[in-house]
Amino acid sequence: MADLKVSIGALELRNPVMTASGTFGYGLEFQDFVDLSELGGIVVKGTTLRPREGNPYPRMAETASGMLNCVGLQNKGVDYFCEHIYPEVKDLPTQVVVNVSGSTIEDYAETAHRIGELERIPAIELNISCPNVRQGGMAFGVTSQGAASVVKAVRRAYPKTLIVKLSPNVTDIAEIARAVEAEGADAVSLINTLMGMAIDAERRRKVLSIGTGGLSGPAVKPVALRMVHQVSKAVGIPVVGLGGIMSATDAVEFLLAGATAVEIGTANFIDPGVSTKVVRGISEYLARHGFSSVREIIGALEN
Amino acid sequence: MKKEILDLQIAEATSPWEGFVLLKAEPTEGALPECRPGQFAQLRTGGALLRRPISIHNVEEGGRRVWFLVQAVGRGTRWFQTLKAGDCLNAVMPLGNGFGMPGSGDRVLLVGGGVGVAPLLFQGQRLRERGIPFAFLLGARSADLLLQLEEFRRVGEVFVATEDGSAGECGLVTQHSAFAAPYTLVQTCGPTPMMRAVARLAHEQGMRCEVSLENRMACGVGACLCCVTEDRTGHNRCVCTDGPVFGAEELNWD
């Protein structure tokens, strides 16, 4: 069997398949469906310094080959995570990465620092790209200067592997990627959701409580692939690719585009067992094409 | 209770009422997982990307065959009308917490409206098996929209309220004389305005009340946090995992 191991900075993954933040809970919710020891890693739900209730219902609208959500970073805050959730996840048989979000640079740095003290959490994914909260999140992620300033502060507060999750809602994502690389990010992950909107014509109303939401699912995959390809050419650090991955073939496409690892998001809602099927499918692809390591196909487009 | 992803084979698919489909299905292999009344399944649909949460209408004696009663309202649910005997249906189940099991001193009124009657049949079966006194109170706009009336009558006593008076008492379920009897617990599923009115009436009459919500959801397992409802303390709770059945007093319904 081909070697599936990849590294994202100092973070070593047994295979390149992780689950995306906000789509897999804390892993615990999916233990009936997935043997977590077969996964590369889990990126757990976005965590903020203080508890957040998120946005009002309705928070979700299905669209053509995709879905919009405006959950708005509902979570119980970093204290609750450290006291109640960390003890539950620290011995899971896979790498657990915490997605960190915030409204101010100080919040980001403080939350990252707190997570950094947890021995069994080897990495954070810094969310500077949530489209669903008015203050912070995407506000930092849409300018090079904003992104750089958050990463600079977090880099000082957090010594372990720092992955920065980028917004696709920008003019030039490669420029943002270069800016966070320059401030010491170990990797970038992309794409977060694309900002969208749904309208109910019969009722003449916006479907989502705050009007807009983030689009995910197969509908965004071509956009994500293009951006992963573009960013992987622009930076020297590893790229984690996500956006509409539903199958092993989709995952292989991201690896070929230049991603070192991938995250599975919306697909977990449709098939809660999909993530490990993707792992097995990548193995089969490598065997079928005669590769001895998954690393041989990273960025290996032939044209 | 372990959740499973399983392939079901359709044994019967019928449309006894315009716009509704009744599916009876069995696992293609192995046993049906143990299910409690009030729990639901996330059914894969060929008509849309996301699964559709559908309550468990009944589990036949022997625990092998499960029933779903689906109202075809959109792309996702209309697809279920195309299923026929022998077709395959993928389900994630059982999900959610289900109705509480009443104690031996309880007298239970199961109040349903529209397609919300579905989980009450299963609950009625269970109450009958346990020897707990209960009755159904089913509401609809008119007699032709009373779903599964014969099945309910096979299980227990049935009261009916129709808005046009074409069957049972004329009016809403909350105006029905059944509420004058000394029930101790009301378990209800149906349109939210109906359940709110039922909860208010139950409270006034000193009866406990459980309500089953059907918020729009994506994952069904507590991960996406899309299906939330606000509780009395102002916190968002997941309908899929904290519910779908809540004590009416837990919710911010006043």
Side-chain angles (χ1 to χ4, degrees), chain B residues 166-219:
Chain B
S166 53
E169 293 184 16
C170 183
L172 303 172
V173 288
T174 43
Q175 297 165 322
H176 196 279
S177 58
F179 268 100
Y183 293 100
T184 59
L185 171 65
V186 176
Q187 294 177 317
T188 183
C189 184
T192 303
M194 183 205 85
M195 289 196 292
R196 281 179 182 248
V198 167
R200 204 177 305 123
L201 181 60
H203 179 73
E204 284 165 12
Q205 305 205 1
M207 305 168 183
R208 288 159 18 244
C209 183
E210 291 181 356
V211 301
S212 178
L213 306 188
E214 49 172 16
N215 286 10
R216 197 181 301 150
M217 55 182 72
C219 73

Side-chain angles (χ1 to χ4, degrees), chain A residues 64-82:
Chain A
S65 296
M67 61 174 277
L68 291 162
N69 87 80
C70 64
V71 172
L73 294 175
Q74 179 183 330
N75 79 100
K76 291 183 171 172
V78 73
D79 288 341
Y80 187 90
F81 180 84
C82 294

Side-chain angles (χ1 to χ4, degrees), chain A residues 22-25 29-33 45 53-71 74-75 207-208 216-218 246 266 268-274 277, chain B residues 1-5 42 44-45 47-52 75-76 90 92-95 214-230 233-239 241:
Chain A
T23 68
F24 205 68
E29 294 85 343
F30 283 74
Q31 280 179 308
D32 284 349
F33 312 117
K45 179 71 189 157
E53 281 301 325
N55 290 318
Y57 179 87
R59 294 173 165 186
M60 191 274 286
E62 184 165 349
T63 62
S65 296
M67 61 174 277
L68 291 162
N69 87 80
C70 64
V71 172
Q74 179 183 330
N75 79 100
V207 176
L208 298 171
S216 64
M246 304 294 288
T266 302
N268 292 307
F269 303 155
I270 295 136
D271 177 2
V274 71
K277 287 182 195 165
Chain B
M1 203 171 264
K2 192 168 156 51
K3 302 182 274 281
E4 292 181 25
I5 308 170
Q42 279 273 63
R44 189 84 184 256
T45 164
L49 179 69
L50 297 172
R51 288 171 184 266
R52 293 295 183 265
R75 299 181 288 143
N90 186 267
V92 179
M93 65 185 289
L95 302 174
E214 49 172 16
N215 286 10
R216 197 181 301 150
M217 55 182 72
C219 73
V221 296
C224 70
L225 311 186
C226 288
C227 64
V228 293
T229 191
E230 193 176 286
T233 64
H235 293 300
N236 283 315
R237 309 266 299 275
C238 277
V239 167
T241 47

Side-chain angles (χ1 to χ4, degrees), chain B residues 3-210:
Chain B
K3 302 182 274 281
E4 292 181 25
I5 308 170
L6 73 166
D7 283 326
L8 300 171
Q9 189 177 44
I10 303 293
E12 281 179 46
T14 53
S15 294
W17 307 271
E18 179 73 27
F20 294 86
V21 56
L22 176 63
L23 302 171
K24 301 183 179 182
E26 297 182 359
T28 52
E29 53 187 60
L32 195 69
E34 194 198 333
C35 303
R36 280 201 305 265
Q39 291 188 305
F40 65 99
Q42 279 273 63
L43 300 182
R44 189 84 184 256
T45 164
L49 179 69
L50 297 172
R51 288 171 184 266
R52 293 295 183 265
I54 305 293
S55 67
I56 296 170
H57 181 32
N58 195 18
V59 174
E60 285 184 29
E61 256 180 64
R64 210 175 143 67
R65 187 172 287 191
V66 60
W67 299 8
F68 300 106
L69 180 60
V70 183
Q71 184 169 16
V73 287
R75 299 181 288 143
T77 45
R78 275 198 297 270
W79 180 83
F80 297 117
Q81 292 178 305
T82 68
L83 289 170
K84 26 185 215 313
D87 287 349
C88 196
L89 177 65
N90 186 267
V92 179
M93 65 185 289
L95 302 174
N97 58 9
F99 290 108
M101 191 42 70
S104 56
D106 272 317
R107 290 168 53 89
V108 187
L109 188 61
L110 302 174
V111 183
V115 75
V117 302
L120 302 181
L121 184 69
F122 190 19
Q123 175 68 351
Q125 294 269 26
R126 196 57 63 88
L127 295 179
R128 190 176 68 167
E129 285 165 21
R130 306 274 171 100
I132 293 166
F134 74 96
F136 298 109
L137 170 55
L138 308 178
R141 278 202 304 282
S142 56
D144 57 320
L145 293 171
L146 285 163
L147 309 174
Q148 291 286 67
L149 197 54
E150 289 316 306
E151 289 295 338
F152 281 102
R153 286 189 169 134
R154 255 192 273 277
V155 174
E157 186 178 11
V158 180
F159 301 111
V160 167
T162 54
E163 289 175 43
D164 68 356
S166 53
E169 293 184 16
C170 183
L172 303 172
V173 288
T174 43
Q175 297 165 322
H176 196 279
S177 58
F179 268 100
Y183 293 100
T184 59
L185 171 65
V186 176
Q187 294 177 317
T188 183
C189 184
T192 303
M194 183 205 85
M195 289 196 292
R196 281 179 182 248
V198 167
R200 204 177 305 123
L201 181 60
H203 179 73
E204 284 165 12
Q205 305 205 1
M207 305 168 183
R208 288 159 18 244
C209 183
E210 291 181 356

Side-chain angles (χ1 to χ4, degrees), chain A residues 2-286:
Chain A
D3 178 9
L4 292 179
K5 288 196 287 292
V6 296
S7 301
I8 307 290
L11 175 69
E12 293 185 355
L13 304 178
R14 70 166 65 86
N15 64 58
V17 179
M18 299 193 280
T19 53
S21 176
T23 68
F24 205 68
Y26 295 98
L28 308 162
E29 294 85 343
F30 283 74
Q31 280 179 308
D32 284 349
F33 312 117
V34 169
D35 179 352
L36 300 178
S37 73
E38 291 179 34
L39 275 180
I42 299 169
V43 185
V44 304
K45 179 71 189 157
T47 302
T48 51
L49 187 59
R50 313 244 175 266
R52 287 185 57 97
E53 281 301 325
N55 290 318
Y57 179 87
R59 294 173 165 186
M60 191 274 286
E62 184 165 349
T63 62
S65 296
M67 61 174 277
L68 291 162
N69 87 80
C70 64
V71 172
L73 294 175
Q74 179 183 330
N75 79 100
K76 291 183 171 172
V78 73
D79 288 341
Y80 187 90
F81 180 84
C82 294
E83 285 160 37
H84 299 282
I85 299 170
Y86 177 65
E88 300 280 315
V89 301
K90 71 184 177 58
D91 296 319
L92 290 179
T94 190
Q95 299 283 28
V96 178
V97 176
V98 177
N99 181 284
V100 168
S101 204
S103 313
T104 66
I105 290 178
E106 294 73 26
D107 282 6
Y108 272 108
E110 173 65 14
T111 309
H113 171 72
R114 296 288 309 280
I115 300 292
E117 291 176 332
L118 304 174
E119 186 194 351
R120 306 293 280 275
I121 305 292
I124 60 172
E125 179 179 67
L126 199 65
N127 181 3
I128 57 168
S129 45
C130 177
N132 298 324
V133 292
R134 205 164 286 159
Q135 287 210 309
M138 200 170 85
F140 291 107
V142 293
T143 65
S144 296
Q145 204 178 5
S149 61
V150 180
V151 174
K152 185 175 190 175
V154 170
R155 183 72 288 178
R156 277 202 295 261
Y158 187 78
K160 297 190 245 180
T161 300
L162 172 59
I163 305 167
V164 181
K165 188 168 186 177
L166 303 182
S167 173
N169 304 300
V170 295
T171 309
D172 184 357
I173 195 168
E175 181 193 320
I176 314 263
R178 281 191 295 264
V180 304
E181 180 184 34
E183 293 298 343
D186 295 304
V188 287
S189 58
L190 61 146
I191 59 175
N192 205 323
T193 54
L194 276 156
M195 210 165 169
M197 185 174 189
I199 288 174
D200 181 338
E202 292 304 313
R203 296 167 60 234
R204 291 181 290 282
R205 285 169 188 275
K206 298 167 189 163
V207 176
L208 298 171
S209 63
I210 62 165
T212 58
L215 180 66
S216 64
V220 310
K221 199 192 89 177
V223 178
L225 265 180
R226 184 269 294 178
M227 289 185 165
V228 164
H229 184 249
Q230 192 182 354
V231 168
S232 71
K233 299 278 183 211
V235 297
I237 52 179
V239 174
V240 179
L242 70 153
I245 297 176
M246 304 294 288
S247 66
T249 306
D250 291 341
V252 166
E253 291 172 17
F254 276 83
L255 298 170
L256 292 169
T260 298
V262 296
E263 293 178 17
I264 315 275
T266 302
N268 292 307
F269 303 155
I270 295 136
D271 177 2
V274 71
S275 50
T276 49
K277 287 182 195 165
V278 170
V279 176
R280 292 191 284 274
I282 292 172
S283 257
E284 283 160 22
Y285 174 90
L286 296 172

